[in-house]
Amino acid sequence: MKTISISFFAFLLAFSINVNASVCDLTKTNGGGFTTTLESVVNNCNSTYTITMLVTHNGAGGPSNKALSHFSVEATPGTYTNVGLTVVTGSMTYSSYTAGPNLGVDPFQGFKFDGTSNIGGGVAGSFRVTYTLIGNLQNQRVSCKAGTNGQIVNFTVADFEYVRDCNNTNCNVNPDTDGDGCNDDVDQYPNDATQCMDNYFPAIGYGTVAYEDLWPARGDYDFNDLILDYKVKIITNANNFVKEAYFTFIIKAFGAGYQNGFGFQIGSSAILNSDLTVTGYELKENFINLLSNGTEAGQSIPTIIVFDNCYRQMPYPGVGIGVNTTPGAPYVTPDTVRIKIAFTPNKYTLNSISANTFNPFLIVNKNRGVEVHLPDYPPTALANPAIFNTVDDKSNPALNKYYKTENNLPWAINVYQVIDYLKEKQDISTGYLKFAPWAESNGNLYPDWFIDNSGYIDQSKIYQNQ
């Protein structure tokens, strides 16, 4: 009896130590050898939360334990930023990050890391994902997609609150050097009370916008008449109000005879032009009219013209069409333009200028009335409405349908990562083989059309810097 009693108490002690070591974590089993652990939830005291999850595979193999193909997290569009992934153990890799909101086969919107390898299917490993939620905590599903199995678990708002409270990471538990209400552990400017956090779009790396400039005609449809990589950094204060925004645009190529310009709108008419101060634009012609604060005149929605003539940004090499689209022509170093926008303090929240309000557009051949926007994004107040629904364009402003053909093909694309572009005179659908079905389905099919999966890209049509 004495021996049994000692063994029983030894068991209780071991159990107690194990529970206390991870009492503030919540681990859920995805299946196929994968688990997801909610490690930490930090209330940043500025209407944002920093979330940390640890994904682990136990190394089991066999038919029910497939290799991970992608990892995704459900999140309401416009509510997540600062997404990152760090390998903890093993040698897991991924080929791309998608900021959504649509995630292809996943039954929810959010973000995902795609093209994963070296984890699952008999290969042990773990990786940590961090991100920031803007606004309130929310129910979030997590998928460890492997083979045909979604392997989804659900973390509820109550789960997030438990981990937050258990770890004592609610407000006012950490030092706040500058006294702005943004604790030092999350304050990226701990000695500046006017700013707290950097918010990036895309969350990782750069995105790409590309244009076809013969709208409303379909043209050669090579989508290289302007190729821009971009990244946005928005600085918010402790109360989630925007202080400044920085836009970086890298002009990589333009396969056009036209002297095209580029601009963008941000926010809505609820944001007053008088509350912005814009610097960094490069205007070298004389057809753009600006207000004294650097925004374009005649616009109800703040409009920033980044440059007005691509040929004044990158010199024509004397061979081929445009710059950096004709194989064999001299390569020209890409040009970078950086825009800074300062906002009236404590007036506009991050949600007012979220990624969904970024409306980039091409100005065709110095004709201010001819704009090319992303599909279903409206023109600015200075666009000529008489061009809609002419030639190949089937825009219908009454239905909020803009810049699409009869079959929903666009004249502009925006991808939340850097993509390769086509050689001159190569139809994009012959290089990106899933582009046309993606566009014609309104994005329901092949949302990953730009990923180098088997059967997706004909590399012979892609421009290569030689």
Side-chain angles (χ1 to χ4, degrees):
M1 191 68 175
K2 182 177 180 181
T3 302
I4 294 175
S5 177
I6 292 174
S7 298
F8 177 71
F9 282 110
F11 166 77
L12 284 180
L13 178 61
F15 178 77
S16 175
I17 292 173
N18 180 57
V19 170
N20 289 335
S22 59
V23 69
C24 293
D25 294 344
L26 276 179
T27 298
K28 300 198 177 186
T29 301
N30 299 81
F34 287 96
T35 58
T36 302
T37 299
L38 182 57
E39 289 188 311
S40 68
V41 178
V42 178
N43 185 343
N44 300 322
C45 307
N46 63 349
S47 298
T48 70
Y49 293 84
T50 300
I51 313 296
T52 304
M53 292 179 174
L54 180 70
V55 181
T56 303
H57 191 269
N58 59 15
S64 61
N65 297 280
K66 304 292 186 181
L68 186 71
S69 60
H70 77 248
F71 173 79
S72 53
V73 177
E74 179 180 23
T76 303
T79 66
Y80 52 92
T81 185
N82 298 332
V83 181
L85 184 150
T86 304
V87 176
V88 179
T89 61
S91 55
M92 175 264 194
T93 62
Y94 65 94
S95 63
S96 64
Y97 166 79
T98 300
N102 295 317
L103 300 179
V105 298
D106 290 324
F108 52 75
Q109 294 183 315
F111 60 86
K112 75 173 176 178
F113 294 88
D114 214 344
T116 54
S117 60
N118 299 328
I119 185 169
V123 180
S126 61
F127 58 91
R128 181 171 286 114
V129 172
T130 60
Y131 58 96
T132 299
L133 277 182
I134 302 166
N136 298 320
L137 295 170
Q138 53 191 264
N139 296 331
Q140 293 185 272
R141 286 172 283 181
V142 175
S143 174
C144 291
K145 180 72 166 57
T148 60
N149 301 319
Q151 300 180 162
I152 297 172
V153 296
N154 180 51
F155 289 96
T156 66
V157 170
D159 291 335
F160 288 102
E161 290 174 340
Y162 167 78
V163 174
R164 177 199 65 192
D165 296 341
C166 181
N167 280 312
N168 197 24
T169 51
N170 214 335
C171 289
N172 303 321
V173 297
N174 294 303
D176 179 10
T177 301
D178 55 18
D180 62 355
C182 183
N183 296 330
D184 288 357
D185 60 334
V186 295
D187 195 341
Q188 291 167 293
Y189 305 90
N191 297 305
D192 185 343
T194 67
Q195 49 193 16
C196 167
M197 185 173 293
D198 293 335
N199 305 272
Y200 289 99
F201 169 66
I204 296 177
Y206 281 72
T208 297
V209 288
Y211 294 89
E212 181 62 42
D213 68 0
L214 290 180
W215 177 84
R218 191 173 185 273
D220 58 15
Y221 218 62
D222 54 15
F223 269 86
N224 66 13
D225 295 332
L226 181 64
I227 302 290
L228 281 171
D229 290 345
Y230 70 90
K231 189 167 190 67
V232 183
K233 180 176 79 170
I234 300 174
I235 302 177
T236 51
N237 66 15
N239 295 313
N240 207 33
F241 286 106
V242 175
K243 179 187 179 186
E244 295 168 344
Y246 293 85
F247 291 74
T248 300
F249 297 101
I250 303 174
I251 310 169
K252 295 170 67 174
F254 45 90
Y258 286 165
Q259 300 176 57
N260 297 322
F262 174 78
F264 64 95
Q265 290 190 312
I266 186 170
S268 66
S269 56
I271 296 181
L272 302 179
N273 280 295
S274 57
D275 286 327
L276 279 62
T277 301
V278 181
T279 55
Y281 46 84
E282 299 187 13
L283 304 183
K284 300 168 183 176
E285 307 291 350
N286 60 2
F287 67 98
I288 300 296
N289 298 313
L290 300 183
L291 300 174
S292 60
N293 67 342
T295 61
E296 188 175 30
Q299 302 281 12
S300 59
I301 297 174
T303 305
I304 294 89
I305 307 302
V306 180
F307 59 88
D308 53 11
N309 183 352
C310 55
Y311 277 92
R312 301 286 295 273
Q313 301 299 130
M314 295 168 66
Y316 176 58
V319 179
I321 297 176
V323 175
N324 294 347
T325 63
T326 303
Y331 183 76
V332 178
T333 302
D335 179 63
T336 300
V337 182
R338 295 180 174 87
I339 300 293
K340 175 184 175 182
I341 305 176
F343 290 79
T344 295
N346 298 311
K347 189 166 184 180
Y348 301 109
T349 65
L350 185 61
N351 284 338
S352 357
I353 54 169
S354 66
N356 292 333
T357 69
F358 175 51
N359 183 1
F361 61 93
L362 187 76
I363 301 172
V364 179
N365 206 27
K366 299 193 292 185
N367 184 339
R368 186 60 194 86
V370 184
E371 301 177 352
V372 181
H373 289 251
L374 297 170
D376 292 335
Y377 276 67
T380 80
L382 299 183
N384 180 2
I387 308 175
F388 290 122
N389 202 28
T390 63
V391 195
D392 296 319
D393 178 68
K394 298 303 177 185
S395 294
N396 187 341
L399 299 177
N400 293 317
K401 177 180 179 179
Y402 295 100
Y403 300 99
K404 287 181 176 179
T405 69
E406 183 73 29
N407 296 326
N408 292 320
L409 296 176
W411 277 266
I413 51 176
N414 179 17
V415 179
Y416 296 158
Q417 67 180 64
V418 173
I419 64 170
D420 295 324
Y421 59 91
L422 280 294
K423 298 175 183 175
E424 187 60 33
K425 302 300 182 184
Q426 300 295 326
D427 189 308
I428 191 172
S429 64
T430 67
Y432 286 98
L433 305 178
K434 306 302 181 184
F435 176 85
W438 165 76
E440 291 169 353
S441 69
N442 268 328
N444 293 318
L445 298 177
Y446 302 107
D448 58 350
W449 61 267
F450 49 86
I451 302 296
D452 193 10
N453 294 328
S454 176
Y456 274 45
I457 302 177
D458 182 350
Q459 292 291 344
S460 69
K461 306 295 178 66
I462 302 298
Y463 176 82
Q464 302 290 338
N465 174 23
Q466 300 174 347

